[in-house]
Amino acid sequence: MSAANDTLDPFPSAGGSQDVFQARGARVPIPLIERADGVYLYDRDGREYMDLSSGPVVSNIGHGNSIVADAMARQARRLDYVFYRVGRHQPNIDLSARIAALAGPGFERVCFSSGGSEAIEVAIKFLRAEAIALGQPQRRHIISCMPSYHGGTVTALALSGDRDLAAFLDGFGGMSPKIPAPMDYRLPPNHSVDSHARACAQALEDTIAGLGADNVLAFFFEPVGGVATGCLVPPASWFRAIREICTRHGIALVFDEVLCGTGRTGRFLAAHHWPDALPDIVVMAKGLASGYAPLAATLFSAERVERLAALTGFNFTHTYAANPIACAVGLAVLDEYQRMDLIVRARERGAYLRRGLDTLAARSRLVGHVRGLGLLMALELVADKDTKARFDGDAIASYVVRRCALEHGLMIYTRRTNASRFGDWVIVSPPLTVSESECDEMLRRLQRTLNDAAPILRGSEGQRDASD
Ligand code: PLP
């Protein structure tokens, strides 16, 4: 029986689910999900799916958490909304204090918004306002990596490193300058991971020199990658190099932790893994409210915020910024992190799951590389393990795997980026609440999924994966 909801009319004459906007002939069925609990999602026909990627790496505390749901309802009854420019409220004050304490020195001020792209735009607009206020209006270039992803609003798209977006953005100011991301699987000839990272850092230095350091506003980077790089973890030398370059040129270093922040990698901020290379600004979203409310945060030093406040101030606003219900959810989510010790669990379960993924990769001809940190990992899918060859043409390997996964009760989030120029991967990032036995079951289902996907991807139903 097919895993998708066969009875569902996905394209009614009016209305329809959000995916009516996607290309017709979608390659992966989209089941109608009715409820969720822990790491499980259930469709309206009662089929169960394990949430292997926490949606798009969102549901860090797992689904169906009644403590958070109750906190949300209590807040809605007590104070649903007040606009922060005209009325203060306690959940805002409490949540910014809590995040600042967890983030540590250098991140005392927290500007809330509703989603990752908005929070990225907050960082850009703050830096631009600061440059203008300091008499440096020529500072407008923002450098980022190819590949990378920084969000879906027009400016965040321009920051994102995806070559297909360049055509899309033609006429909208184009892309920001790009340097190569320090990818670590397919290295240029005669390079080690470290020497390639050094070459990428040199590209940052050269790009800054080409633009003129005084014209550059910032360098944006995902310290642990997500969907654009398949959870790339650069070497420590890279972090030291980019910190040194940005400091020397007076350029803001911004870490996009929309996906990798809030404990996902085993530290509250991914930046905490490299304490001698902390950024100037951090952007967080996704796991912060773990899907229970739209909530994002852009973190600054108190000094930086006071300096701008004494000049022009940061005068941009979003109606739902620091919404009381979203802040109450953020507080309840962080309480749950503490109660269940989720950041430690991200490290421990991450190590456990990693061992299982390594075993699975060793036995599968489809998996060329496993990478990531904590409970944020990816399997790189390859046509040939020896040559690291990618699947070409229309064989979007990650979509085939996603489709097969549904048949085995596994919901995977992976989206094709950069037309697979940099690779195809499956994101493995279950809720941080996942148990060892649930990891085992996910691995079993993943194994069966790869078994089914291998012959399809190799164009022959006769070839089974070695991991049968
Ligand atoms: N930055 C990164 C690294 C992301 O992964 C995403 C979303 O996937 C965003 C920014 C944009 O966040 P949102 O989709 O909440 O606007």
Side-chain angles (χ1 to χ4, degrees), residues 115-118 120 149-152 222 256 258-259 285-286:
S117 309
E118 243 181 45
I120 288 282
Y149 184 71
H150 296 293
E222 300 162 72
D256 178 347
V258 166
L259 184 145
K286 297 193 184 250

Side-chain angles (χ1 to χ4, degrees), residues 56 114-120 148-153 156 160 222 224-228 256-260 283 285-286 295-296 413 415:
S114 301
S117 309
E118 243 181 45
I120 288 282
S148 66
Y149 184 71
H150 296 293
T153 52
S160 301
E222 300 162 72
V224 177
V227 181
D256 178 347
E257 299 212 12
V258 166
L259 184 145
C260 65
V283 183
K286 297 193 184 250
L295 179 67
Y413 174 71
R415 196 155 51 85

Side-chain angles (χ1 to χ4, degrees), residues 78-100:
R78 188 184 177 90
L79 172 65
D80 56 327
Y81 183 83
V82 61
F83 190 36
Y84 73 93
R85 295 185 82 98
V86 298
R88 293 183 176 138
H89 62 86
Q90 202 59 41
N92 179 183
I93 295 166
D94 292 347
L95 184 59
S96 55
R98 182 81 72 85
I99 292 172

